[in-house]
Short mmCIF file of all heavy atoms in Angstrom, two decimals:
data_model
loop_
_atom_site.label_atom_id
_atom_site.label_comp_id
_atom_site.label_asym_id
_atom_site.label_seq_id
_atom_site.Cartn_x
_atom_site.Cartn_y
_atom_site.Cartn_z
N LEU A 239 -15.94 1.48 8.42
CA LEU A 239 -15.31 2.50 9.28
C LEU A 239 -16.34 3.24 10.09
O LEU A 239 -16.15 3.50 11.29
CB LEU A 239 -14.49 3.51 8.43
CG LEU A 239 -13.18 3.03 7.89
CD1 LEU A 239 -12.65 3.88 6.77
CD2 LEU A 239 -12.17 2.96 9.00
N MET A 240 -17.50 3.53 9.50
CA MET A 240 -18.47 4.24 10.23
C MET A 240 -19.14 3.45 11.31
O MET A 240 -19.56 3.91 12.33
CB MET A 240 -19.58 4.78 9.29
CG MET A 240 -19.13 6.02 8.53
SD MET A 240 -20.43 6.60 7.47
CE MET A 240 -19.43 7.52 6.29
N MET A 241 -19.25 2.14 11.02
CA MET A 241 -19.79 1.24 12.10
C MET A 241 -18.85 1.20 13.25
O MET A 241 -19.30 1.23 14.46
CB MET A 241 -20.10 -0.13 11.52
CG MET A 241 -21.32 -0.16 10.61
SD MET A 241 -21.31 -1.49 9.40
CE MET A 241 -21.88 -2.80 10.38
N VAL A 242 -17.56 1.08 12.94
CA VAL A 242 -16.65 1.12 14.11
C VAL A 242 -16.72 2.41 14.87
O VAL A 242 -16.71 2.44 16.11
CB VAL A 242 -15.21 0.93 13.54
CG1 VAL A 242 -14.17 1.16 14.63
CG2 VAL A 242 -14.98 -0.46 12.97
N ARG A 243 -16.76 3.48 14.10
CA ARG A 243 -16.82 4.80 14.81
C ARG A 243 -18.11 5.03 15.61
O ARG A 243 -18.05 5.41 16.70
CB ARG A 243 -16.76 5.88 13.70
CG ARG A 243 -16.77 7.23 14.25
CD ARG A 243 -16.78 8.32 13.20
NE ARG A 243 -17.03 9.62 13.58
CZ ARG A 243 -16.12 10.47 14.06
NH1 ARG A 243 -14.87 10.05 14.13
NH2 ARG A 243 -16.39 11.67 14.47
N ALA A 244 -19.26 4.52 15.02
CA ALA A 244 -20.47 4.65 15.71
C ALA A 244 -20.44 3.91 17.00
O ALA A 244 -20.90 4.38 18.05
CB ALA A 244 -21.61 4.17 14.86
N ARG A 245 -19.80 2.73 16.94
CA ARG A 245 -19.75 1.85 18.13
C ARG A 245 -18.87 2.51 19.19
O ARG A 245 -19.17 2.53 20.34
CB ARG A 245 -19.20 0.57 17.76
CG ARG A 245 -18.74 -0.23 18.94
CD ARG A 245 -19.17 -1.68 18.85
NE ARG A 245 -18.54 -2.40 19.92
CZ ARG A 245 -19.15 -2.91 20.92
NH1 ARG A 245 -20.45 -2.68 21.02
NH2 ARG A 245 -18.55 -3.59 21.85
N MET A 246 -17.79 3.09 18.73
CA MET A 246 -16.92 3.78 19.66
C MET A 246 -17.57 4.95 20.32
O MET A 246 -17.32 5.29 21.45
CB MET A 246 -15.56 4.17 19.05
CG MET A 246 -14.77 2.90 18.69
SD MET A 246 -13.14 3.33 18.03
CE MET A 246 -12.36 4.05 19.45
N LYS A 247 -18.38 5.68 19.49
CA LYS A 247 -19.03 6.85 20.04
C LYS A 247 -20.14 6.44 20.98
O LYS A 247 -20.44 7.11 21.98
CB LYS A 247 -19.57 7.76 18.88
CG LYS A 247 -18.45 8.49 18.19
CD LYS A 247 -18.91 9.83 17.78
CE LYS A 247 -17.72 10.78 17.65
NZ LYS A 247 -17.98 12.02 17.08
N LYS A 248 -20.78 5.38 20.57
CA LYS A 248 -21.97 4.96 21.38
C LYS A 248 -21.54 4.50 22.77
O LYS A 248 -22.15 4.81 23.78
CB LYS A 248 -22.64 3.77 20.74
CG LYS A 248 -23.99 3.44 21.26
CD LYS A 248 -24.75 2.45 20.35
CE LYS A 248 -24.32 1.01 20.81
NZ LYS A 248 -24.84 0.01 19.93
N ALA A 249 -20.37 3.84 22.85
CA ALA A 249 -19.93 3.39 24.15
C ALA A 249 -19.67 4.65 25.00
O ALA A 249 -18.55 4.92 25.45
CB ALA A 249 -18.64 2.59 23.98
N ALA A 250 -20.67 5.42 25.09
CA ALA A 250 -20.73 6.72 25.85
C ALA A 250 -19.33 7.26 26.15
O ALA A 250 -18.57 6.72 26.87
CB ALA A 250 -21.47 6.48 27.15
N GLY A 251 -19.07 8.39 25.55
CA GLY A 251 -17.84 9.12 25.83
C GLY A 251 -17.86 9.69 27.20
O GLY A 251 -18.86 9.41 28.01
N ARG A 252 -16.88 10.38 27.53
CA ARG A 252 -16.94 11.10 28.86
C ARG A 252 -16.25 12.43 28.66
O ARG A 252 -15.35 12.61 27.78
CB ARG A 252 -16.20 10.22 29.88
CG ARG A 252 -14.76 9.94 29.49
CD ARG A 252 -13.90 9.69 30.59
NE ARG A 252 -13.03 8.56 30.46
CZ ARG A 252 -12.18 8.26 31.38
NH1 ARG A 252 -12.17 8.75 32.58
NH2 ARG A 252 -11.35 7.19 31.19
N ALA A 253 -16.66 13.32 29.53
CA ALA A 253 -16.05 14.67 29.46
C ALA A 253 -14.76 14.63 30.26
O ALA A 253 -14.73 14.34 31.47
CB ALA A 253 -17.01 15.67 29.99
N THR A 254 -13.64 14.90 29.56
CA THR A 254 -12.33 14.96 30.26
C THR A 254 -12.00 16.38 30.36
O THR A 254 -11.58 17.04 29.38
CB THR A 254 -11.30 14.12 29.50
OG1 THR A 254 -11.68 12.78 29.37
CG2 THR A 254 -9.95 14.24 30.14
N VAL A 255 -12.13 16.93 31.54
CA VAL A 255 -11.95 18.42 31.68
C VAL A 255 -10.81 18.66 32.66
O VAL A 255 -10.92 18.30 33.87
CB VAL A 255 -13.24 19.10 32.21
CG1 VAL A 255 -13.03 20.63 32.25
CG2 VAL A 255 -14.39 18.78 31.35
N GLY A 256 -9.75 19.14 32.20
CA GLY A 256 -8.58 19.52 33.04
C GLY A 256 -8.65 20.95 33.43
O GLY A 256 -9.35 21.75 32.83
N ASP A 257 -7.88 21.29 34.46
CA ASP A 257 -7.93 22.70 34.89
C ASP A 257 -6.75 23.51 34.31
O ASP A 257 -6.57 24.66 34.54
CB ASP A 257 -7.82 22.80 36.51
CG ASP A 257 -6.54 22.11 37.02
OD1 ASP A 257 -5.68 21.79 36.11
OD2 ASP A 257 -6.42 22.02 38.21
N GLY A 258 -5.99 22.85 33.46
CA GLY A 258 -4.89 23.59 32.78
C GLY A 258 -3.55 23.74 33.57
O GLY A 258 -2.64 24.20 32.98
N HIS A 259 -3.50 23.27 34.80
CA HIS A 259 -2.24 23.51 35.50
C HIS A 259 -1.04 22.76 34.98
O HIS A 259 0.04 23.39 34.96
CB HIS A 259 -2.44 23.33 36.99
CG HIS A 259 -2.39 21.82 37.42
ND1 HIS A 259 -3.46 21.00 37.30
CD2 HIS A 259 -1.36 21.09 37.96
CE1 HIS A 259 -3.17 19.79 37.72
NE2 HIS A 259 -1.88 19.81 38.09
N LEU A 260 -1.23 21.62 34.48
CA LEU A 260 -0.06 20.93 33.83
C LEU A 260 0.31 21.51 32.53
O LEU A 260 1.49 21.67 32.19
CB LEU A 260 -0.39 19.39 33.74
CG LEU A 260 -0.53 18.61 35.01
CD1 LEU A 260 -1.05 17.17 34.75
CD2 LEU A 260 0.79 18.53 35.81
N ARG A 261 -0.68 21.84 31.72
CA ARG A 261 -0.44 22.47 30.43
C ARG A 261 0.34 23.79 30.56
O ARG A 261 1.19 24.13 29.77
CB ARG A 261 -1.71 22.57 29.61
CG ARG A 261 -2.12 21.30 28.96
CD ARG A 261 -3.53 21.32 28.42
NE ARG A 261 -4.50 21.27 29.49
CZ ARG A 261 -5.76 21.41 29.22
NH1 ARG A 261 -6.25 21.69 28.04
NH2 ARG A 261 -6.63 21.31 30.26
N ASP A 262 -0.12 24.50 31.61
CA ASP A 262 0.66 25.80 31.92
C ASP A 262 2.07 25.57 32.16
O ASP A 262 3.00 26.25 31.66
CB ASP A 262 0.00 26.53 33.08
CG ASP A 262 -1.40 27.13 32.69
OD1 ASP A 262 -1.71 27.17 31.47
OD2 ASP A 262 -2.15 27.53 33.58
N LYS A 263 2.33 24.55 33.00
CA LYS A 263 3.67 24.25 33.36
C LYS A 263 4.50 23.84 32.07
O LYS A 263 5.62 24.20 31.92
CB LYS A 263 3.79 23.13 34.35
CG LYS A 263 3.50 23.55 35.76
CD LYS A 263 3.89 22.49 36.75
CE LYS A 263 3.19 22.72 38.15
NZ LYS A 263 3.15 21.46 38.92
N LEU A 264 3.86 23.02 31.27
CA LEU A 264 4.46 22.57 30.04
C LEU A 264 4.82 23.77 29.18
O LEU A 264 6.00 23.94 28.64
CB LEU A 264 3.53 21.70 29.17
CG LEU A 264 3.47 20.17 29.56
CD1 LEU A 264 2.44 19.51 28.59
CD2 LEU A 264 4.80 19.52 29.41
N ALA A 265 3.87 24.63 29.02
CA ALA A 265 4.12 25.82 28.13
C ALA A 265 5.26 26.65 28.71
O ALA A 265 6.15 27.14 27.90
CB ALA A 265 2.79 26.69 28.13
N ALA A 266 5.36 26.76 29.99
CA ALA A 266 6.39 27.53 30.62
C ALA A 266 7.74 26.84 30.41
O ALA A 266 8.80 27.57 30.27
CB ALA A 266 6.12 27.76 32.12
N ALA A 267 7.76 25.52 30.32
CA ALA A 267 9.00 24.78 30.16
C ALA A 267 9.51 24.71 28.68
O ALA A 267 10.67 24.32 28.43
CB ALA A 267 8.88 23.34 30.69
N LEU A 268 8.69 25.06 27.77
CA LEU A 268 9.09 24.98 26.35
C LEU A 268 10.21 25.98 26.05
O LEU A 268 10.14 27.10 26.33
CB LEU A 268 7.92 25.26 25.38
CG LEU A 268 6.80 24.26 25.25
CD1 LEU A 268 5.71 24.75 24.29
CD2 LEU A 268 7.32 22.96 24.81
N PRO A 269 11.29 25.46 25.40
CA PRO A 269 12.41 26.38 25.04
C PRO A 269 12.05 27.25 23.83
O PRO A 269 12.83 28.08 23.44
CB PRO A 269 13.53 25.42 24.76
CG PRO A 269 12.98 24.11 24.44
CD PRO A 269 11.60 24.05 25.01
N TRP A 270 10.91 27.04 23.21
CA TRP A 270 10.54 27.78 22.01
C TRP A 270 9.13 28.03 22.05
O TRP A 270 8.38 27.50 22.88
CB TRP A 270 10.96 27.04 20.75
CG TRP A 270 11.16 25.59 20.86
CD1 TRP A 270 12.33 24.93 20.92
CD2 TRP A 270 10.16 24.56 20.98
NE1 TRP A 270 12.13 23.58 21.09
CE2 TRP A 270 10.77 23.34 21.13
CE3 TRP A 270 8.75 24.64 21.10
CZ2 TRP A 270 10.09 22.10 21.34
CZ3 TRP A 270 8.02 23.44 21.27
CH2 TRP A 270 8.72 22.20 21.31
N ARG A 271 8.55 28.85 21.06
CA ARG A 271 7.15 29.07 21.04
C ARG A 271 6.48 28.04 20.14
O ARG A 271 7.04 27.60 19.15
CB ARG A 271 6.89 30.39 20.37
CG ARG A 271 7.24 31.58 21.31
CD ARG A 271 7.23 32.88 20.43
NE ARG A 271 5.80 33.04 19.87
CZ ARG A 271 4.88 33.81 20.47
NH1 ARG A 271 5.11 34.43 21.63
NH2 ARG A 271 3.67 33.95 19.87
N LEU A 272 5.26 27.66 20.55
CA LEU A 272 4.50 26.79 19.67
C LEU A 272 4.17 27.48 18.37
O LEU A 272 3.95 28.74 18.35
CB LEU A 272 3.16 26.41 20.40
CG LEU A 272 3.27 25.56 21.70
CD1 LEU A 272 1.90 25.55 22.35
CD2 LEU A 272 3.66 24.16 21.30
N THR A 273 4.12 26.74 17.27
CA THR A 273 3.64 27.30 16.02
C THR A 273 2.15 27.57 16.12
O THR A 273 1.48 26.93 16.96
CB THR A 273 3.88 26.41 14.79
OG1 THR A 273 3.15 25.27 14.94
CG2 THR A 273 5.41 26.06 14.72
N ALA A 274 1.65 28.42 15.22
CA ALA A 274 0.19 28.70 15.29
C ALA A 274 -0.62 27.43 15.05
O ALA A 274 -1.58 27.24 15.75
CB ALA A 274 -0.13 29.67 14.20
N SER A 275 -0.20 26.52 14.16
CA SER A 275 -0.98 25.33 13.92
C SER A 275 -0.87 24.34 15.13
O SER A 275 -1.83 23.64 15.39
CB SER A 275 -0.67 24.69 12.57
OG SER A 275 0.65 24.47 12.41
N GLN A 276 0.27 24.35 15.77
CA GLN A 276 0.38 23.53 16.98
C GLN A 276 -0.61 24.01 18.09
O GLN A 276 -1.35 23.22 18.64
CB GLN A 276 1.78 23.55 17.58
CG GLN A 276 2.78 22.65 16.97
CD GLN A 276 4.17 22.81 17.46
OE1 GLN A 276 4.63 23.99 17.69
NE2 GLN A 276 4.92 21.74 17.70
N ALA A 277 -0.66 25.34 18.28
CA ALA A 277 -1.53 25.89 19.24
C ALA A 277 -2.97 25.56 18.93
O ALA A 277 -3.82 25.18 19.79
CB ALA A 277 -1.32 27.39 19.39
N ARG A 278 -3.27 25.67 17.60
CA ARG A 278 -4.64 25.36 17.22
C ARG A 278 -4.99 23.94 17.45
O ARG A 278 -6.12 23.53 17.94
CB ARG A 278 -4.89 25.72 15.74
CG ARG A 278 -6.35 26.05 15.36
CD ARG A 278 -6.42 26.55 13.94
NE ARG A 278 -5.41 27.43 13.51
CZ ARG A 278 -4.55 27.16 12.58
NH1 ARG A 278 -4.65 25.99 11.91
NH2 ARG A 278 -3.59 28.07 12.18
N ALA A 279 -4.11 23.00 17.06
CA ALA A 279 -4.33 21.58 17.25
C ALA A 279 -4.55 21.28 18.74
O ALA A 279 -5.45 20.51 19.13
CB ALA A 279 -3.17 20.78 16.60
N ILE A 280 -3.71 21.85 19.60
CA ILE A 280 -3.82 21.61 21.03
C ILE A 280 -5.20 22.05 21.54
O ILE A 280 -5.85 21.33 22.29
CB ILE A 280 -2.68 22.32 21.74
CG1 ILE A 280 -1.34 21.62 21.47
CG2 ILE A 280 -2.99 22.29 23.32
CD1 ILE A 280 -0.20 22.33 21.98
N ALA A 281 -5.64 23.24 21.09
CA ALA A 281 -6.98 23.73 21.51
C ALA A 281 -8.07 22.79 20.96
O ALA A 281 -9.02 22.49 21.73
CB ALA A 281 -7.15 25.15 20.99
N ASP A 282 -7.98 22.38 19.71
CA ASP A 282 -9.00 21.50 19.11
C ASP A 282 -9.13 20.21 19.95
O ASP A 282 -10.21 19.76 20.23
CB ASP A 282 -8.66 21.10 17.71
CG ASP A 282 -8.91 22.21 16.72
OD1 ASP A 282 -9.53 23.25 17.15
OD2 ASP A 282 -8.40 22.19 15.59
N ILE A 283 -7.97 19.65 20.23
CA ILE A 283 -7.97 18.34 21.02
C ILE A 283 -8.57 18.56 22.38
O ILE A 283 -9.41 17.72 22.89
CB ILE A 283 -6.51 17.86 21.03
CG1 ILE A 283 -6.02 17.41 19.66
CG2 ILE A 283 -6.51 16.64 22.04
CD1 ILE A 283 -4.57 17.18 19.61
N ALA A 284 -8.18 19.66 23.06
CA ALA A 284 -8.67 19.89 24.36
C ALA A 284 -10.22 20.01 24.38
O ALA A 284 -10.90 19.52 25.24
CB ALA A 284 -8.01 21.17 25.00
N ALA A 285 -10.72 20.72 23.30
CA ALA A 285 -12.19 20.87 23.22
C ALA A 285 -12.88 19.47 23.01
O ALA A 285 -13.83 19.22 23.57
CB ALA A 285 -12.48 21.82 22.08
N ASP A 286 -12.18 18.65 22.16
CA ASP A 286 -12.73 17.34 21.95
C ASP A 286 -12.85 16.51 23.26
O ASP A 286 -13.76 15.81 23.51
CB ASP A 286 -11.82 16.54 21.06
CG ASP A 286 -12.09 16.89 19.56
OD1 ASP A 286 -12.98 17.69 19.25
OD2 ASP A 286 -11.27 16.35 18.66
N LEU A 287 -11.76 16.63 24.00
CA LEU A 287 -11.63 15.87 25.23
C LEU A 287 -12.78 16.28 26.21
O LEU A 287 -13.38 15.51 26.93
CB LEU A 287 -10.25 16.03 25.96
CG LEU A 287 -9.10 15.37 25.22
CD1 LEU A 287 -7.77 15.79 25.89
CD2 LEU A 287 -9.23 13.87 25.20
N GLU A 288 -13.08 17.57 26.19
CA GLU A 288 -14.04 18.08 27.13
C GLU A 288 -15.46 17.72 26.76
O GLU A 288 -16.28 17.70 27.61
CB GLU A 288 -13.92 19.62 27.21
CG GLU A 288 -12.65 20.07 27.95
CD GLU A 288 -12.55 21.59 28.07
OE1 GLU A 288 -13.48 22.34 27.76
OE2 GLU A 288 -11.46 21.99 28.47
N LYS A 289 -15.69 17.42 25.44
CA LYS A 289 -16.99 17.05 25.08
C LYS A 289 -17.34 15.62 25.58
O LYS A 289 -16.42 14.78 25.66
CB LYS A 289 -17.09 17.01 23.52
CG LYS A 289 -17.30 18.44 23.00
CD LYS A 289 -17.60 18.34 21.46
CE LYS A 289 -16.66 19.07 20.69
NZ LYS A 289 -16.50 18.75 19.31
N PRO A 290 -18.62 15.41 25.86
CA PRO A 290 -18.93 14.03 26.40
C PRO A 290 -18.88 12.98 25.29
O PRO A 290 -19.07 11.73 25.68
CB PRO A 290 -20.31 14.21 26.88
CG PRO A 290 -20.90 15.40 26.17
CD PRO A 290 -19.79 16.28 25.82
N GLU A 291 -18.67 13.25 24.04
CA GLU A 291 -18.61 12.15 23.06
C GLU A 291 -17.16 11.70 22.98
O GLU A 291 -16.19 12.31 23.39
CB GLU A 291 -19.00 12.69 21.66
CG GLU A 291 -20.41 12.94 21.46
CD GLU A 291 -20.62 14.40 21.19
OE1 GLU A 291 -19.98 14.90 20.23
OE2 GLU A 291 -21.38 15.06 21.89
N ARG A 292 -17.01 10.51 22.36
CA ARG A 292 -15.72 9.99 22.04
C ARG A 292 -14.98 10.76 21.03
O ARG A 292 -15.49 11.22 20.05
CB ARG A 292 -16.03 8.58 21.35
CG ARG A 292 -15.10 7.51 21.68
CD ARG A 292 -15.27 7.07 23.12
NE ARG A 292 -14.35 5.95 23.35
CZ ARG A 292 -14.69 4.74 23.15
NH1 ARG A 292 -15.87 4.38 22.74
NH2 ARG A 292 -13.80 3.74 23.32
N MET A 293 -13.71 11.06 21.26
CA MET A 293 -12.87 11.78 20.29
C MET A 293 -12.24 10.75 19.30
O MET A 293 -11.85 9.68 19.69
CB MET A 293 -11.73 12.55 20.92
CG MET A 293 -10.78 13.10 19.94
SD MET A 293 -9.53 14.25 20.59
CE MET A 293 -8.31 13.08 21.21
N LEU A 294 -12.28 11.15 18.00
CA LEU A 294 -11.52 10.30 17.05
C LEU A 294 -10.92 11.35 16.11
O LEU A 294 -11.64 11.89 15.24
CB LEU A 294 -12.55 9.42 16.30
CG LEU A 294 -11.93 8.16 15.68
CD1 LEU A 294 -10.99 7.46 16.64
CD2 LEU A 294 -13.01 7.22 15.25
N ARG A 295 -9.74 11.74 16.33
CA ARG A 295 -9.10 12.84 15.66
C ARG A 295 -7.81 12.42 15.03
O ARG A 295 -7.04 11.69 15.59
CB ARG A 295 -8.89 14.08 16.56
CG ARG A 295 -8.34 15.31 15.83
CD ARG A 295 -8.30 16.53 16.72
NE ARG A 295 -9.60 17.16 16.83
CZ ARG A 295 -10.06 18.04 15.97
NH1 ARG A 295 -9.40 18.37 14.93
NH2 ARG A 295 -11.28 18.59 16.13
N LEU A 296 -7.54 12.90 13.81
CA LEU A 296 -6.33 12.69 13.13
C LEU A 296 -5.39 13.92 13.16
O LEU A 296 -5.88 14.99 12.86
CB LEU A 296 -6.60 12.36 11.64
CG LEU A 296 -5.43 12.07 10.78
CD1 LEU A 296 -4.75 10.75 11.21
CD2 LEU A 296 -5.83 11.90 9.31
N LEU A 297 -4.19 13.76 13.64
CA LEU A 297 -3.27 14.80 13.59
C LEU A 297 -2.21 14.58 12.56
O LEU A 297 -1.41 13.60 12.68
CB LEU A 297 -2.57 14.91 15.00
CG LEU A 297 -1.46 16.04 15.13
CD1 LEU A 297 -1.97 17.39 14.94
CD2 LEU A 297 -0.79 15.93 16.53
#
Side-chain angles (χ1 to χ4, degrees):
L239 283 163
M240 282 183 203
M241 284 157 79
V242 169
R243 180 183 170 87
R245 163 136 173 111
M246 289 184 67
K247 285 214 155 173
K248 194 172 84 186
R252 55 155 139 179
T254 300
V255 185
D257 60 6
H259 78 278
L260 292 173
R261 280 168 285 172
D262 287 347
K263 283 192 198 163
L264 278 180
L268 287 179
W270 21 256
R271 286 170 61 94
L272 292 170
T273 64
S275 51
Q276 278 175 318
R278 204 175 321 117
I280 289 171
D282 286 347
I283 294 165
D286 282 355
L287 291 173
E288 287 179 12
K289 279 190 236 159
E291 290 116 55
R292 217 69 179 270
M293 172 173 82
L294 206 46
R295 181 174 284 274
L296 178 66
L297 176 62

